[in-house]
Amino acid sequence: MKRLYTLAILTLVATASFAQINKNYSRFNKETGQLVDPLLAPFYHGVASGDPLSNAVILWTRVTPETENDAAIMVSWKIAKDINMTQLVNSGLFLTDTGRDYTVKVDATNLQPGTTYYYQFNAFGKNSIIGRTRTTPTNNAEQLRFAVVSCSDFENGFFNSYKQIAQMKDLDAVLHLGDYQYEYVATEGTGGRKYEPANETIQLADYRIRHSFTKLDPDLQAAHQQHPWIVVWDDHESTNNSYRDGAENHTEGVEGVWNLRKSFSAKAYDEWMPTRLMDVTQPGKIFRTIKYGNLVDLIMLDTRIYDRDLQLAQAADGEANDPARKLIGPEQLAFLENALKTSTAKWKVLGQQVMFMQWNIVGKPLLDMLPGAPDLINMAINENGVAFNSDAWDGYIAERKRIFDIIENNNIDNVVVLTGDIHSTWAADITRDPYNPSVYNPLTGEGSMAVEFVTNSVTTSNLDLATSDDNAELLVRTGIMATNPHIKWNDLFKHGYSVIDFTTAKTQCDFYLTPIDASSMDQEREAGFSTADGENHITTEDAAAPGKENAPDLAPFPERTSSVKNNGNATNNLIVLGMYPNPVSQSAILQIIVNQPKANIQATIIDVTGKLVAKLTEQTFDGGVHSLPIDVSKMANGTYIIQLVTPEGISAKRFVVNK
């Protein structure tokens, strides 16, 4: 799914104008140029946790080397029952190095079920911020609450949804359903909210730098600090419209070998995300089940890349019904079938990427008015002249029917599908044929076997850029629901997140809207929908689901300085985050943070004897993250030091040339 979500083909808009506008916003006060607080050193990327079990949880951080000599770094960790970190329940050591980009990933065990814990790391005698996490219950859970997010494009706006989520005490976890970051080339825009590295992410070094850059965002850090995350990737963690054997945004040869690129993205994702692999030998295998006692089985799927066939092109001609077409494939389908059939939980929840419901986008008359519509993103036309989204389950109909069979043949109730990807909110009944009155009654919900809630994008573009017509949103919603009776809600114009609440009586999903054009604590509840135990269809809810009472305290947020003063310490004003790759054979990138409004930097390479080998640059850099290219193609094998000289002092990074 591309960033600009141009669905001109909706019932609304035969005459709408779709301008491709890319919004970029500054993240920090430009007067100071501050990007990170030096008080966070060496844990500039914060802390995170994820994939909780009843007795364990993954703890994560990244430690930034302090000197050029830090080839390997020993990091200690501890986890406690109290916010003051005095009632310790486990602790240990973790050795990290350049081979895992100095990330730290600990599976903290010996924990109690349904319990909130606090954790912390230490390296070089300095503590990280304190993180907060929670294990899953084993039985008798009465209420569970999750924030649901997807599609967080850094360049397109501020992460205000994460800011809101970080303030919520009563969440059991955050579910991120993909597009955690984007692979695109950086673009200039207002305010300077711009990717690093500037190039498209293709190599392992690129993906690592993009992860590093993304996790410097303070709102994202805060949401990771306060809650465990359960995540799956979509396409942009690798590249747009990816599938098993390639991607729309990958040119074989020119952009390397697809299987290598895919493995690079998976490795960086495993390093930088708080995930637990079911098979450590297969970082590309992310489908798994996380059990929340007797209330929820959270079945996380990979509908994007593990075994997906190529998306259909414009002239589908019924190919979407081909029994051989795969979206998740036989291995994952068998996993899903077993998870559904053996579940003893009240609610069976599928966390996945692309829209499961049927969606007839437009009929033949409107296509005649919009002759260019079939060329838009993920558009295909079926044998009846109806447009559909071939990137979603509508392009893999036979495999979806097999899931219908599993649910129906085994009399499985209370299946809830949670979806991201499409940059919009939706609520729908799931039925075999929503357009056939003998199969499905939209007034009573009879014939529905499950429900689906689709969360909107944190920031990624949707139809908010498509038209200035104040009536457009209502026209789109009315048009979609008029031609798709199972769809009870949609909003393709706004951004935000969802909160989904599970009790023994019902599941409720509330959609929240947040602005993206500036850092803000504003939000509003737009709509809410529920499904009652055993009913398997959507009901509108006028009020938000009540929160959990007596939720444990949030971990203390770090006190960030309002400015970075020149105190003679170059490590405060110039921070070296990493060298990618190291060792290097031909070229590398040095990722640095200029932690002041402007800084004059002279970059040189010397050998271990102090002899000048190359002068890289001498220029003034604005505050922020920068990537310095380093060409070593004419240098002999050996160990070198890159020196970064500012008026405040010298920072250095040791690297190895190995051709």
Side-chain angles (χ1 to χ4, degrees):
M1 180 63 65
K2 288 184 184 283
R3 284 183 292 176
L4 188 58
Y5 174 64
T6 53
L7 286 173
I9 29 86
L10 300 171
T11 308
L12 147 84
V13 283
T15 58
S17 172
F18 289 80
Q20 294 201 7
I21 305 169
N22 187 19
K23 296 178 180 177
N24 300 291
Y25 301 98
S26 176
R27 184 169 19 160
F28 293 95
N29 186 335
K30 294 190 72 178
E31 294 181 0
T32 66
Q34 182 178 343
L35 191 63
V36 300
D37 195 318
L39 295 177
L40 299 179
F43 301 100
Y44 298 111
H45 298 89
V47 299
S49 67
D51 276 8
L53 304 176
S54 62
N55 63 349
V57 66
I58 297 293
L59 307 180
W60 179 94
T61 191
R62 199 264 187 175
V63 58
T64 296
E66 288 197 329
T67 75
E68 70 273 17
N69 296 315
D70 297 323
I73 303 172
M74 185 64 74
V75 181
S76 64
W77 61 273
K78 57 185 178 181
I79 185 167
K81 287 187 175 181
D82 66 312
I83 202 168
N84 296 316
M85 304 298 297
T86 59
Q87 302 174 37
L88 295 183
V89 295
N90 206 346
S91 62
L93 299 173
F94 189 96
L95 185 67
T96 186
D97 58 24
T98 186
R100 54 179 301 113
D101 204 11
Y102 295 103
T103 58
V104 176
K105 205 166 174 180
V106 174
D107 199 349
T109 58
N110 299 321
L111 308 181
Q112 297 299 310
T115 303
T116 295
Y117 290 94
Y118 302 87
Y119 62 95
Q120 192 172 41
F121 299 90
N122 182 281
F124 305 121
K126 301 175 183 177
N127 288 327
S128 71
I129 60 175
I130 294 172
R132 174 180 177 268
T133 191
R134 185 168 178 82
T135 54
T136 65
T138 53
N139 51 44
N140 299 324
E142 296 182 356
Q143 183 180 13
L144 294 168
R145 284 170 69 82
F146 302 91
V148 187
V149 289
S150 75
C151 304
S152 39
D153 183 356
F154 178 86
E155 281 196 353
N156 203 62
F158 283 78
F159 290 163
N160 291 316
S161 291
Y162 294 151
K163 189 192 299 284
Q164 293 287 348
I165 289 168
Q167 300 292 331
M168 300 173 69
K169 288 185 177 183
D170 61 352
L171 295 179
D172 288 273
V174 175
L175 310 182
H176 200 296
L177 300 180
D179 293 344
Y180 181 88
Q181 63 184 44
Y182 283 69
E183 85 281 8
Y184 292 124
V185 172
T187 57
E188 293 292 342
T190 57
R193 201 160 163 89
K194 177 182 175 183
Y195 305 134
E196 283 288 341
N199 56 280
E200 183 177 331
T201 57
I202 296 172
Q203 303 298 325
L204 176 59
D206 301 327
Y207 287 108
R208 283 172 164 175
I209 295 172
R210 190 65 60 89
H211 273 283
S212 169
F213 172 77
T214 303
K215 273 199 169 68
L216 292 173
D217 184 277
D219 297 325
L220 176 57
Q221 283 188 10
H224 273 301
Q225 177 191 3
Q226 300 299 342
H227 312 292
W229 284 43
I230 301 167
V231 302
V232 288
W233 56 51
D234 196 13
D235 49 346
H236 291 287
E237 286 87 352
S238 54
T239 190
N240 186 56
N241 284 353
S242 52
Y243 62 103
R244 181 188 59 244
D245 302 319
E248 178 270 333
N249 192 27
H250 175 81
T251 302
E252 193 73 6
V254 176
E255 295 180 308
V257 177
W258 169 246
N259 282 338
L260 278 177
R261 184 178 186 180
K262 182 167 67 170
S263 70
F264 292 154
S265 66
K267 177 174 173 54
Y269 191 87
D270 179 51
E271 291 170 346
W272 281 86
M273 300 297 286
T275 54
R276 176 187 286 103
L277 291 177
M278 297 298 100
D279 184 346
V280 295
T281 68
Q282 297 189 61
K285 187 175 181 178
I286 61 170
F287 51 91
R288 61 207 188 275
T289 299
I290 297 177
K291 293 181 174 293
Y292 277 83
N294 61 330
L295 195 54
V296 168
D297 274 358
L298 188 56
I299 306 165
M300 306 299 288
L301 300 176
D302 183 352
T303 61
R304 175 56 62 186
I305 202 170
Y306 187 73
D307 202 11
R308 172 197 276 256
D309 290 328
L310 175 66
Q311 296 90 332
L312 293 174
Q314 175 180 337
D317 294 330
E319 293 177 47
N321 286 290
D322 184 349
R325 283 186 58 73
K326 296 179 293 183
L327 183 65
I328 61 176
E331 179 187 358
Q332 198 171 176
L333 186 64
F335 156 79
L336 174 59
E337 180 174 13
N338 181 69
L340 288 172
K341 290 168 66 173
T342 61
S343 175
T344 57
K346 173 72 70 175
W347 301 99
K348 278 67 69 174
V349 182
L350 277 56
Q352 50 105 58
Q353 296 85 346
V354 296
M355 208 152 71
F356 191 83
M357 71 185 75
Q358 302 91 335
W359 176 25
N360 285 351
I361 297 176
V362 68
K364 184 67 165 59
L366 190 52
L367 283 179
D368 292 338
M369 299 170 64
L370 291 169
D375 296 324
L376 291 175
I377 302 166
N378 305 330
M379 175 78 78
I381 314 299
N382 70 16
E383 61 272 25
N384 298 317
V386 175
F388 64 96
N389 182 1
S390 65
D391 188 52
W393 283 89
D394 271 344
Y396 305 83
I397 293 174
E399 203 165 58
R400 181 170 59 193
K401 287 180 178 177
R402 294 184 188 112
I403 297 175
F404 289 153
D405 291 340
I406 293 169
I407 295 173
E408 189 171 69
N409 295 340
N410 294 279
N411 297 313
I412 299 173
D413 283 327
N414 297 338
V415 175
V416 177
V417 182
L418 301 180
T419 301
D421 179 68
I422 203 166
H423 314 169
S424 45
T425 54
W426 303 70
D429 290 340
I430 299 300
T431 174
R432 283 188 182 273
D433 188 351
Y435 311 106
N436 186 341
S438 66
V439 174
Y440 169 69
N441 185 334
L443 298 179
T444 65
E446 184 180 359
S448 178
M449 61 179 66
V451 299
E452 181 173 13
F453 300 114
V454 182
T455 194
N456 48 1
S457 65
V458 172
T459 58
T460 311
S461 301
N462 48 31
L463 287 187
D464 62 349
L465 303 181
T467 177
S468 59
D469 186 348
D470 292 337
N471 296 318
E473 181 183 328
L474 179 60
L475 289 171
V476 169
R477 181 177 302 125
T478 302
I480 290 175
M481 293 167 61
T483 54
N484 296 270
H486 59 303
I487 296 176
K488 309 303 180 182
W489 174 263
N490 66 85
D491 182 349
L492 285 73
F493 288 79
K494 297 188 179 72
H495 306 276
Y497 66 101
S498 306
V499 173
I500 189 157
D501 186 275
F502 298 94
T503 67
T504 56
K506 69 178 183 180
T507 291
Q508 179 168 334
C509 182
D510 294 298
F511 296 128
Y512 290 90
L513 305 178
T514 58
I516 64 171
D517 56 353
S519 181
S520 172
M521 280 299 294
D522 293 339
Q523 76 167 2
E524 64 174 293
R525 177 185 181 268
E526 183 180 34
F529 303 88
S530 69
T531 180
D533 176 25
E535 293 294 326
N536 303 317
H537 65 81
I538 293 287
T539 300
T540 301
E541 293 284 351
D542 293 331
K548 295 163 70 174
E549 297 180 354
N550 302 316
D553 289 337
L554 295 172
F557 293 96
E559 293 185 7
R560 298 181 182 269
T561 57
S562 59
S563 64
V564 178
K565 299 178 180 179
N566 178 0
N567 61 3
N569 185 348
T571 59
N572 277 353
N573 295 308
L574 180 63
I575 299 167
V576 179
L577 285 179
M579 176 93 163
Y580 301 90
N582 187 8
V584 56
S585 59
Q586 294 294 322
S587 62
I589 294 175
L590 188 73
Q591 188 182 34
I592 65 171
I593 295 175
V594 176
N595 227 12
Q596 53 188 324
K598 290 184 181 296
N600 181 265
I601 298 175
Q602 180 187 73
T604 58
I605 295 176
I606 62 175
D607 64 19
V608 291
T609 69
K611 178 182 177 181
L612 178 66
V613 175
K615 183 176 180 180
L616 299 179
T617 186
E618 183 172 4
Q619 67 184 92
T620 299
F621 290 85
D622 291 332
V625 177
H626 298 276
S627 298
L628 301 182
I630 302 170
D631 182 1
V632 302
S633 59
K634 297 180 180 179
M635 295 169 57
N637 287 350
T639 301
Y640 298 86
I641 298 170
I642 181 168
Q643 287 193 144
L644 303 169
V645 181
T646 75
E648 291 79 33
I650 299 175
S651 294
K653 178 67 179 177
R654 185 183 295 266
F655 67 96
V656 175
V657 174
N658 185 7
K659 299 179 182 179

